[in-house]
Amino acid sequence: MKLAMIGFGQAGGKIVDRFLDYDDRTNSGIVRAAIAVNSAKADLMGLERIPQDNRVLIGQARVKGHGVGADNELGAEIAEEDIDEVQNAIDQIPTHEVDAFLIVAGMGGGTGSGGAPVLAKHLKRIYTIPVYGLGVLPGTDEGGIYTLNAARSFQTFVREVDNLLVFDNDSWRQTGESVEGGYEQINEEIVRRFGILFGAGEVTGDQEVAESVVDSSEIINTLSGGGVSTVGYASEGVELTNGGGLLSRFTADDGGDDDLDAANTTNRITSLVRKAALGRLTLPCEIEGTERALLVLAGPSEYLNRKGIERGRKWLEEETGSMEVRGGDYPRGEPEVAAAILLSGVTNVPRIKRLQQVAIEAQDNIEDIQAESEENLEELVEDDEDELEPLF
Ligand code: GDP
Protein backbone atom coordinates (compact mmCIF):
# COMPACT_ATOMS: atom_id res chain seq x y z
CA MET A 1 0.00 0.00 0.00
CA LYS A 2 1.09 3.54 -0.61
CA LEU A 3 1.89 5.59 2.47
CA ALA A 4 2.55 9.21 3.26
CA MET A 5 5.17 8.90 5.98
CA ILE A 6 5.82 11.65 8.45
CA GLY A 7 8.84 11.28 10.70
CA PHE A 8 8.36 13.37 13.86
CA GLY A 9 11.47 14.11 15.93
CA GLN A 10 14.92 12.63 15.45
CA ALA A 11 14.11 8.92 15.61
CA GLY A 12 11.03 9.41 13.43
CA GLY A 13 12.97 11.28 10.76
CA LYS A 14 15.79 8.75 10.72
CA ILE A 15 13.42 5.82 10.39
CA VAL A 16 11.48 7.43 7.52
CA ASP A 17 14.87 8.12 5.89
CA ARG A 18 15.60 4.39 6.14
CA PHE A 19 12.19 3.53 4.67
CA LEU A 20 13.10 5.59 1.59
CA ASP A 21 16.35 3.68 1.31
CA TYR A 22 14.51 0.35 1.67
CA ASP A 23 12.03 1.40 -0.98
CA ASP A 24 14.86 2.11 -3.42
CA ARG A 25 16.67 -1.14 -2.67
CA THR A 26 13.66 -3.41 -2.91
CA ASN A 27 11.50 -1.48 -5.34
CA SER A 28 8.56 -1.98 -3.03
CA GLY A 29 6.92 1.39 -3.74
CA ILE A 30 5.41 1.97 -0.31
CA VAL A 31 6.64 5.51 0.40
CA ARG A 32 4.54 7.79 -1.80
CA ALA A 33 5.73 10.84 0.13
CA ALA A 34 8.10 11.45 3.04
CA ILE A 35 8.15 14.41 5.41
CA ALA A 36 10.29 15.12 8.46
CA VAL A 37 9.18 17.44 11.26
CA ASN A 38 11.50 18.55 14.05
CA SER A 39 12.22 21.40 16.43
CA ALA A 40 15.96 20.76 16.16
CA LYS A 41 17.56 22.13 13.00
CA ALA A 42 20.66 19.94 13.27
CA ASP A 43 18.57 16.76 13.29
CA LEU A 44 16.78 17.80 10.10
CA MET A 45 20.12 18.55 8.46
CA GLY A 46 21.42 15.10 9.36
CA LEU A 47 18.81 13.31 7.25
CA GLU A 48 19.94 11.81 3.97
CA ARG A 49 16.98 10.88 1.82
CA ILE A 50 14.05 13.07 2.74
CA PRO A 51 13.89 15.97 0.24
CA GLN A 52 14.99 19.33 1.67
CA ASP A 53 11.62 20.89 0.87
CA ASN A 54 9.89 18.22 2.95
CA ARG A 55 11.81 19.02 6.14
CA VAL A 56 9.74 21.19 8.45
CA LEU A 57 11.31 23.08 11.35
CA ILE A 58 8.73 23.91 14.01
CA GLY A 59 8.91 25.93 17.21
CA GLN A 60 11.44 28.43 15.95
CA ALA A 61 9.86 31.25 17.96
CA ARG A 62 10.09 29.20 21.16
CA VAL A 63 13.26 27.10 20.89
CA LYS A 64 15.16 28.74 18.02
CA GLY A 65 15.98 25.52 16.22
CA HIS A 66 17.59 23.91 19.26
CA GLY A 67 15.00 21.26 20.08
CA VAL A 68 12.89 20.81 23.20
CA GLY A 69 15.27 18.63 25.20
CA ALA A 70 13.20 15.75 26.46
CA ASP A 71 10.23 17.97 27.30
CA ASN A 72 7.32 16.33 25.51
CA GLU A 73 4.74 18.77 26.89
CA LEU A 74 6.68 21.51 25.11
CA GLY A 75 6.88 19.21 22.06
CA ALA A 76 3.09 18.95 22.03
CA GLU A 77 2.65 22.69 22.50
CA ILE A 78 4.87 23.74 19.63
CA ALA A 79 3.32 21.10 17.37
CA GLU A 80 -0.06 22.64 18.05
CA GLU A 81 1.21 26.18 17.53
CA ASP A 82 2.92 25.36 14.24
CA ILE A 83 0.54 22.75 12.85
CA ASP A 84 -0.12 24.98 9.82
CA GLU A 85 3.51 24.70 8.76
CA VAL A 86 3.26 20.92 8.85
CA GLN A 87 -0.02 21.09 6.94
CA ASN A 88 1.63 23.30 4.29
CA ALA A 89 4.17 20.54 3.64
CA ILE A 90 1.40 17.92 3.49
CA ASP A 91 -0.50 20.11 1.03
CA GLN A 92 2.39 19.63 -1.41
CA ILE A 93 2.05 15.85 -1.54
CA PRO A 94 -0.56 14.00 -3.62
CA THR A 95 -2.69 12.76 -0.74
CA HIS A 96 -5.32 11.44 -3.19
CA GLU A 97 -2.75 8.81 -4.25
CA VAL A 98 -2.10 7.69 -0.70
CA ASP A 99 -3.81 4.78 1.12
CA ALA A 100 -2.87 5.94 4.62
CA PHE A 101 -0.68 8.21 6.72
CA LEU A 102 2.05 6.71 8.88
CA ILE A 103 3.41 8.97 11.64
CA VAL A 104 6.71 7.65 12.97
CA ALA A 105 8.18 8.81 16.30
CA GLY A 106 10.34 7.78 19.21
CA MET A 107 8.04 8.01 22.23
CA GLY A 108 10.74 8.59 24.85
CA GLY A 109 12.00 11.97 23.63
CA GLY A 110 10.39 15.40 23.38
CA THR A 111 9.51 16.58 19.87
CA GLY A 112 8.17 13.32 18.44
CA SER A 113 6.78 12.05 21.73
CA GLY A 114 4.67 15.17 22.20
CA GLY A 115 4.14 16.19 18.58
CA ALA A 116 3.15 12.90 16.92
CA PRO A 117 -0.19 12.56 18.77
CA VAL A 118 -0.99 16.22 18.02
CA LEU A 119 -0.38 15.64 14.31
CA ALA A 120 -2.46 12.44 14.35
CA LYS A 121 -5.40 14.29 15.87
CA HIS A 122 -5.07 17.04 13.26
CA LEU A 123 -4.86 14.66 10.29
CA LYS A 124 -7.84 12.63 11.46
CA ARG A 125 -9.95 15.75 11.53
CA ILE A 126 -9.05 16.62 7.93
CA TYR A 127 -8.62 13.37 5.98
CA THR A 128 -10.78 10.30 5.54
CA ILE A 129 -7.88 7.88 4.93
CA PRO A 130 -6.51 6.02 7.97
CA VAL A 131 -3.86 7.61 10.15
CA TYR A 132 -1.47 5.04 11.65
CA GLY A 133 1.28 5.56 14.17
CA LEU A 134 4.59 3.76 14.42
CA GLY A 135 5.79 4.42 17.95
CA VAL A 136 9.21 3.41 19.25
CA LEU A 137 9.53 2.60 22.97
CA PRO A 138 12.80 3.60 24.67
CA GLY A 139 15.20 1.08 26.14
CA THR A 140 14.74 0.49 29.87
CA ASP A 141 18.32 1.73 30.43
CA GLU A 142 17.45 5.18 29.08
CA GLY A 143 16.13 6.28 32.44
CA GLY A 144 13.01 7.48 34.20
CA ILE A 145 12.21 10.61 32.22
CA TYR A 146 12.26 8.73 28.89
CA THR A 147 10.05 6.04 30.34
CA LEU A 148 7.64 8.63 31.72
CA ASN A 149 7.56 10.43 28.37
CA ALA A 150 6.90 7.18 26.53
CA ALA A 151 4.13 6.08 28.90
CA ARG A 152 2.30 9.40 28.53
CA SER A 153 2.85 9.60 24.77
CA PHE A 154 1.67 6.00 24.34
CA GLN A 155 -1.61 6.74 26.12
CA THR A 156 -2.21 9.81 23.96
CA PHE A 157 -0.96 8.47 20.64
CA VAL A 158 -3.01 5.27 20.75
CA ARG A 159 -6.19 7.29 21.23
CA GLU A 160 -5.50 9.58 18.28
CA VAL A 161 -4.50 7.07 15.59
CA ASP A 162 -6.45 4.37 13.78
CA ASN A 163 -3.84 1.89 14.96
CA LEU A 164 -0.56 2.17 16.84
CA LEU A 165 2.17 -0.14 15.58
CA VAL A 166 4.77 -0.45 18.31
CA PHE A 167 8.46 -1.22 18.17
CA ASP A 168 10.27 -1.75 21.46
CA ASN A 169 13.93 -0.69 21.37
CA ASP A 170 14.43 -2.63 24.58
CA SER A 171 13.83 -6.01 22.97
CA TRP A 172 16.32 -5.29 20.24
CA ARG A 173 19.15 -3.78 22.23
CA GLN A 174 22.40 -5.58 21.65
CA THR A 175 25.10 -5.52 24.26
CA GLY A 176 28.47 -4.08 23.34
CA GLU A 177 27.06 -1.97 20.51
CA SER A 178 27.53 1.77 20.36
CA VAL A 179 24.19 3.53 20.60
CA GLU A 180 24.43 4.84 17.04
CA GLY A 181 25.61 1.54 15.55
CA GLY A 182 22.84 -0.17 17.52
CA TYR A 183 20.21 2.15 16.11
CA GLU A 184 21.38 1.49 12.59
CA GLN A 185 20.69 -2.20 13.01
CA ILE A 186 17.45 -1.60 14.86
CA ASN A 187 16.22 0.77 12.15
CA GLU A 188 17.06 -1.85 9.54
CA GLU A 189 14.95 -4.35 11.47
CA ILE A 190 12.08 -1.85 11.64
CA VAL A 191 12.02 -1.19 7.89
CA ARG A 192 12.41 -4.87 7.03
CA ARG A 193 9.39 -5.91 9.10
CA PHE A 194 7.05 -3.04 8.33
CA GLY A 195 8.36 -2.84 4.75
CA ILE A 196 7.28 -6.42 3.98
CA LEU A 197 3.93 -5.84 5.56
CA PHE A 198 3.05 -2.62 3.76
CA GLY A 199 4.83 -3.74 0.58
CA ALA A 200 2.55 -6.77 0.38
CA GLY A 201 -0.35 -4.57 -0.63
CA GLU A 202 1.65 -2.90 -3.35
CA VAL A 203 2.35 -5.64 -5.89
CA THR A 204 2.80 -3.91 -9.23
CA GLY A 205 2.03 -5.17 -12.73
CA ASP A 206 5.52 -6.37 -13.59
CA GLN A 207 5.75 -8.65 -10.58
CA GLU A 208 4.31 -12.13 -10.89
CA VAL A 209 0.77 -12.24 -9.64
CA ALA A 210 0.39 -15.16 -7.31
CA GLU A 211 -2.69 -17.11 -6.40
CA SER A 212 -3.66 -15.08 -3.39
CA VAL A 213 -1.83 -11.79 -3.26
CA VAL A 214 -2.43 -9.63 -0.20
CA ASP A 215 -4.37 -6.51 -1.03
CA SER A 216 -3.98 -3.16 0.72
CA SER A 217 -7.60 -3.38 1.86
CA GLU A 218 -6.67 -6.50 3.83
CA ILE A 219 -3.97 -4.58 5.65
CA ILE A 220 -6.41 -1.75 6.34
CA ASN A 221 -9.09 -4.16 7.57
CA THR A 222 -6.63 -5.91 9.87
CA LEU A 223 -5.61 -2.56 11.36
CA SER A 224 -9.13 -1.19 11.57
CA GLY A 225 -10.76 -1.36 14.95
CA GLY A 226 -7.82 0.44 16.45
CA GLY A 227 -5.63 -0.50 19.36
CA VAL A 228 -2.06 -1.65 19.48
CA SER A 229 -0.21 -3.85 17.00
CA THR A 230 2.97 -5.87 16.92
CA VAL A 231 4.77 -7.67 14.10
CA GLY A 232 6.46 -11.06 14.03
CA TYR A 233 8.94 -12.07 11.36
CA ALA A 234 11.03 -15.06 10.24
CA SER A 235 12.87 -15.80 7.04
CA GLU A 236 14.82 -18.53 5.35
CA GLY A 237 17.30 -18.05 2.54
CA VAL A 238 16.92 -19.61 -0.89
CA GLU A 239 19.92 -19.67 -3.18
CA LEU A 240 20.27 -18.67 -6.77
CA THR A 241 22.01 -21.38 -8.82
CA ASN A 242 24.33 -20.74 -11.79
CA GLY A 243 21.59 -21.37 -14.26
CA GLY A 244 19.55 -18.59 -12.66
CA GLY A 245 17.12 -21.02 -11.09
CA LEU A 246 16.56 -21.23 -7.39
CA LEU A 247 17.90 -23.96 -5.20
CA SER A 248 17.44 -24.36 -1.51
CA ARG A 249 16.68 -26.35 1.54
CA PHE A 250 13.34 -24.70 1.09
CA THR A 251 12.11 -26.97 -1.68
CA ALA A 252 10.59 -25.26 -4.68
CA ASP A 253 7.72 -26.52 -6.79
CA ASP A 254 10.08 -27.09 -9.66
CA GLY A 255 8.35 -29.95 -11.41
CA GLY A 256 10.20 -32.82 -9.67
CA ASP A 257 8.10 -35.14 -7.56
CA ASP A 258 5.23 -32.70 -7.31
CA ASP A 259 3.41 -34.19 -4.33
CA LEU A 260 6.53 -34.52 -2.25
CA ASP A 261 7.75 -31.05 -3.13
CA ALA A 262 4.42 -29.45 -2.39
CA ALA A 263 4.22 -31.25 0.96
CA ASN A 264 7.71 -30.10 1.79
CA THR A 265 6.92 -26.49 0.89
CA THR A 266 3.77 -26.64 2.98
CA ASN A 267 5.69 -27.93 6.01
CA ARG A 268 8.40 -25.35 5.58
CA ILE A 269 5.89 -22.54 5.39
CA THR A 270 4.08 -23.80 8.48
CA SER A 271 7.23 -23.86 10.56
CA LEU A 272 8.25 -20.44 9.28
CA VAL A 273 4.88 -19.07 10.41
CA ARG A 274 5.36 -20.60 13.86
CA LYS A 275 8.84 -19.15 14.12
CA ALA A 276 7.52 -15.70 13.18
CA ALA A 277 4.69 -15.76 15.70
CA LEU A 278 6.58 -17.34 18.60
CA GLY A 279 9.89 -15.52 18.05
CA ARG A 280 10.76 -11.93 18.84
CA LEU A 281 7.89 -9.51 18.17
CA THR A 282 8.34 -5.77 17.60
CA LEU A 283 6.42 -5.39 20.87
CA PRO A 284 6.68 -8.48 23.06
CA CYS A 285 3.25 -9.72 24.16
CA GLU A 286 1.03 -12.74 24.60
CA ILE A 287 -0.46 -13.51 21.21
CA GLU A 288 -3.47 -15.25 22.67
CA GLY A 289 -6.36 -12.82 22.63
CA THR A 290 -5.17 -10.92 19.54
CA GLU A 291 -8.21 -9.47 17.84
CA ARG A 292 -7.12 -9.60 14.19
CA ALA A 293 -4.08 -10.92 12.35
CA LEU A 294 -2.57 -10.84 8.88
CA LEU A 295 -0.05 -13.39 7.63
CA VAL A 296 2.11 -12.36 4.68
CA LEU A 297 4.32 -14.90 2.94
CA ALA A 298 6.93 -13.15 0.83
CA GLY A 299 9.31 -14.77 -1.62
CA PRO A 300 9.76 -16.08 -5.15
CA SER A 301 6.32 -17.35 -6.18
CA GLU A 302 7.48 -20.95 -6.80
CA TYR A 303 8.25 -21.18 -3.08
CA LEU A 304 4.84 -20.06 -1.94
CA ASN A 305 1.86 -22.35 -1.92
CA ARG A 306 -1.71 -21.83 -0.96
CA LYS A 307 -1.86 -24.89 1.26
CA GLY A 308 1.09 -23.70 3.33
CA ILE A 309 -0.43 -20.28 3.83
CA GLU A 310 -3.80 -21.84 4.67
CA ARG A 311 -2.22 -24.14 7.27
CA GLY A 312 -0.27 -21.22 8.74
CA ARG A 313 -3.43 -19.15 8.89
CA LYS A 314 -5.35 -21.93 10.66
CA TRP A 315 -2.57 -22.39 13.17
CA LEU A 316 -2.60 -18.65 13.85
CA GLU A 317 -6.35 -18.79 14.42
CA GLU A 318 -5.86 -21.47 17.05
CA GLU A 319 -2.95 -19.72 18.76
CA THR A 320 -4.58 -16.30 18.89
CA GLY A 321 -8.17 -17.40 19.35
CA SER A 322 -9.06 -14.82 16.71
CA MET A 323 -11.78 -15.37 14.15
CA GLU A 324 -10.27 -12.73 11.89
CA VAL A 325 -6.98 -14.03 10.54
CA ARG A 326 -6.18 -13.04 6.98
CA GLY A 327 -3.35 -14.38 4.87
CA GLY A 328 -1.77 -14.14 1.46
CA ASP A 329 1.26 -13.99 -0.81
CA TYR A 330 3.72 -11.28 -1.55
CA PRO A 331 5.63 -12.53 -4.60
CA ARG A 332 9.01 -10.86 -4.95
CA GLY A 333 12.43 -11.64 -6.31
CA GLU A 334 14.50 -11.53 -3.09
CA PRO A 335 16.45 -14.77 -2.47
CA GLU A 336 14.51 -15.64 0.67
CA VAL A 337 11.13 -16.77 1.86
CA ALA A 338 9.84 -14.61 4.72
CA ALA A 339 6.79 -14.74 6.95
CA ALA A 340 5.59 -11.46 8.44
CA ILE A 341 2.67 -11.54 10.86
CA LEU A 342 0.74 -8.48 11.88
CA LEU A 343 -1.01 -9.01 15.21
CA SER A 344 -3.51 -6.23 15.63
CA GLY A 345 -5.45 -5.41 18.76
CA VAL A 346 -3.13 -7.08 21.27
CA THR A 347 -4.07 -6.46 24.87
CA ASN A 348 -1.99 -8.80 27.00
CA VAL A 349 1.24 -6.78 27.01
CA PRO A 350 3.20 -7.01 30.29
CA ARG A 351 5.91 -4.72 28.83
CA ILE A 352 3.46 -1.79 28.73
CA LYS A 353 2.31 -2.47 32.31
CA ARG A 354 5.94 -2.44 33.47
CA LEU A 355 6.61 0.75 31.51
CA GLN A 356 3.66 2.43 33.24
CA GLN A 357 4.83 1.25 36.66
CA VAL A 358 8.32 2.66 36.14
CA ALA A 359 6.81 5.87 34.72
CA ILE A 360 4.65 6.38 37.82
CA GLU A 361 7.67 5.85 40.06
CA ALA A 362 9.67 8.35 37.98
CA GLN A 363 6.82 10.85 38.19
CA ASP A 364 6.65 10.53 41.98
CA ASN A 365 10.42 10.87 42.25
CA ILE A 366 10.46 13.96 40.08
CA GLU A 367 7.75 15.57 42.22
CA ASP A 368 9.63 14.70 45.43
CA ILE A 369 12.90 16.05 44.08
CA GLN A 370 11.22 19.26 42.90
CA ALA A 371 9.57 19.85 46.26
CA GLU A 372 12.79 19.09 48.06
CA SER A 373 14.91 21.38 45.91
CA GLU A 374 12.42 24.23 46.38
CA GLU A 375 12.73 23.73 50.11
CA ASN A 376 16.51 23.57 49.94
CA LEU A 377 16.70 26.76 47.90
CA GLU A 378 14.37 28.53 50.31
CA GLU A 379 16.61 27.47 53.15
CA LEU A 380 19.72 28.72 51.37
CA VAL A 381 18.33 32.11 50.35
CA GLU A 382 16.45 33.08 53.50
CA ASP A 383 18.47 34.12 56.54
CA ASP A 384 17.73 32.15 59.67
CA GLU A 385 16.07 34.89 61.69
CA ASP A 386 14.41 36.55 58.71
CA GLU A 387 16.22 39.79 59.46
CA LEU A 388 17.03 40.73 55.86
CA GLU A 389 14.58 42.23 53.40
CA PRO A 390 14.74 41.61 49.63
CA LEU A 391 14.93 44.79 47.53
CA PHE A 392 11.58 44.34 45.88
P1 GDP B 1 12.97 13.88 19.75
O1 GDP B 1 13.85 14.31 18.60
O2 GDP B 1 12.87 14.91 20.82
O3 GDP B 1 11.62 13.46 19.29
O4 GDP B 1 13.65 12.62 20.44
P2 GDP B 1 14.47 11.44 19.74
O5 GDP B 1 13.73 10.98 18.55
O6 GDP B 1 15.91 11.85 19.56
O7 GDP B 1 14.51 10.32 20.85
C1 GDP B 1 13.38 9.67 21.34
C2 GDP B 1 13.67 8.24 21.63
O8 GDP B 1 13.78 7.58 20.39
C3 GDP B 1 14.94 7.90 22.36
O9 GDP B 1 14.69 7.87 23.72
C4 GDP B 1 15.29 6.53 21.84
O10 GDP B 1 14.61 5.53 22.57
C5 GDP B 1 14.71 6.52 20.46
N1 GDP B 1 15.65 6.71 19.35
C6 GDP B 1 16.44 7.77 19.05
N2 GDP B 1 17.05 7.59 17.86
C7 GDP B 1 16.61 6.39 17.38
C8 GDP B 1 16.86 5.64 16.18
O11 GDP B 1 17.60 6.03 15.27
N3 GDP B 1 16.20 4.45 16.07
C9 GDP B 1 15.37 3.97 17.02
N4 GDP B 1 14.79 2.80 16.84
N5 GDP B 1 15.12 4.65 18.15
C10 GDP B 1 15.73 5.83 18.32
Side-chain angles (χ1 to χ4, degrees), residues 381-390:
V381 175
E382 296 301 323
D383 55 297
D384 291 344
E385 305 295 328
D386 218 5
E387 290 162 282
L388 300 172
E389 283 277 311

Side-chain angles (χ1 to χ4, degrees), residues 141 169-179 181-182 185-186 280:
D141 57 350
N169 275 349
D170 206 52
S171 313
W172 297 86
R173 205 165 24 131
Q174 274 155 343
T175 45
E177 289 267 359
S178 72
V179 174
Q185 280 191 19
I186 286 177
R280 210 160 15 156

Side-chain angles (χ1 to χ4, degrees), residues 110-225:
T111 306
S113 171
V118 170
L119 177 60
K121 186 174 185 173
H122 169 82
L123 292 179
K124 278 203 56 78
R125 270 207 303 251
I126 295 185
Y127 298 94
T128 51
I129 54 172
V131 177
Y132 302 129
L134 170 50
V136 177
L137 292 179
T140 45
D141 57 350
E142 286 188 59
I145 184 75
Y146 289 87
T147 304
L148 176 57
N149 283 349
R152 295 181 69 200
S153 179
F154 174 84
Q155 275 193 347
T156 326
F157 207 10
V158 78
R159 271 190 213 129
E160 301 301 337
V161 290
D162 288 294
N163 201 296
L164 183 62
L165 304 144
V166 180
F167 187 94
D168 181 12
N169 275 349
D170 206 52
S171 313
W172 297 86
R173 205 165 24 131
Q174 274 155 343
T175 45
E177 289 267 359
S178 72
V179 174
E180 265 318 301
Y183 280 150
E184 242 170 69
Q185 280 191 19
I186 286 177
N187 294 351
E188 198 51 44
E189 188 69 40
I190 293 175
V191 299
R192 180 185 306 133
R193 290 184 172 223
F194 293 101
I196 286 218
L197 209 75
F198 290 121
E202 202 42 52
V203 175
T204 51
D206 56 344
Q207 280 157 305
E208 289 172 75
V209 177
E211 294 172 61
S212 50
V213 179
V214 175
D215 192 74
S216 58
S217 66
E218 288 173 288
I219 304 170
I220 291 174
N221 288 340
T222 305
L223 291 170
S224 75

